[in-house]
Amino acid sequence: MYVCMYVCMHLNLVFHLLCECVSEVTVASTSNPRKRKMVLVPKPKQQPQPQTTRNLLELPSDLTVNILQRIGVVDVLENAQKVCTAWREICKDPAMWTVVSMVCFSGQSRTTCQEMCKHAVDRSQGQLVDLTIVDFCNDELLQYVAQRSSQLRRLEIVYYFGQTLSEALKKLSLLEELILVNIKMSQKDIEAVGCNCLLLKTLVLNEEAFGFSDDEEDVVAVAIGKNIPNLTHLELIGNSMTNVGLQAILDGCCHLESLDLSRCFNFDLKGDLRKRCLRQIRCFKAPDDSLVGCRYQQMYPDFDDDDDDYYDYYDPPGVDDYDYVPSD
């Protein structure tokens, strides 16, 4: 319907322009009175009309929600919802809080970020499906999220200051994507995921590469193969497991489509194991493959920091000197 209206509008415009041009045609005499020549007299240029600006407060509510979701949790809670009554009502709508992403930047208070995140979870009224927490997640916050976000499909945590990860994962049965950066998962954590997160397809366990073998990492890798067989995407950048762990993953996770082992320096992939990886995994990244495109590349000192456009994970922690008080 809108396409038809658009075409009709432009056809009418062309028709009127043609009429104006014809009205300006004059007949001029020549040396031969029997011949007359059609001369087009150009119409004087009109001054351009000033463009009208649209009031942001008159935008449709769904478009306003889309815009407000892009400015971030902090700006919504501290600024946007105070603009007018209409925006405040939109900011209270649970649809505004289905996706929440928060980063504790240098100089910010972790306590303040935690309180803001809790407030965002409360406003979602159980409809939160995607949550990203960078550099301020602790046991209290994670348990708070797990108890109130049963619909959560994606969880990303960068740095975790706690010990009860497995307890929280038991309550997130609909989780499909779990991303943990610089967080050590234990065998108990993996078993909790395998027993309770049956829909999990993507698992990311990225760490800083240290270059020495770790028997505990092999235990976790074996647990992944035994407990999460339906994985399709597995990312283990910087992991220190050995061939034992990799073999267990290949044996147990038969549905893997992609496997990223960048900066995993304790494998011996010169023989049949490498051939098996290339044959079994459609998208396989070996330890010496480039990290271009990886948003966690700044964690690795041999990579150019200037190419990073994600978060600076090495910012010094903020000072907990004030608390966030919701304006409600």
Side-chain angles (χ1 to χ4, degrees), residues 297-312:
Q297 59 198 26
Q298 196 172 17
M299 293 169 53
Y300 307 97
D302 58 337
F303 204 90
D304 185 6
D305 290 347
D306 293 337
D307 292 336
D308 180 65
D309 58 355
Y310 195 56
Y311 309 120
D312 184 2

Side-chain angles (χ1 to χ4, degrees), residues 184 207 214-222 239-241 245:
K184 287 283 188 179
E207 306 173 24
D214 189 346
D215 294 337
E216 188 175 330
E217 296 283 16
D218 281 333
V219 172
V220 173
V222 171
N239 196 284
S240 56
M241 66 180 177

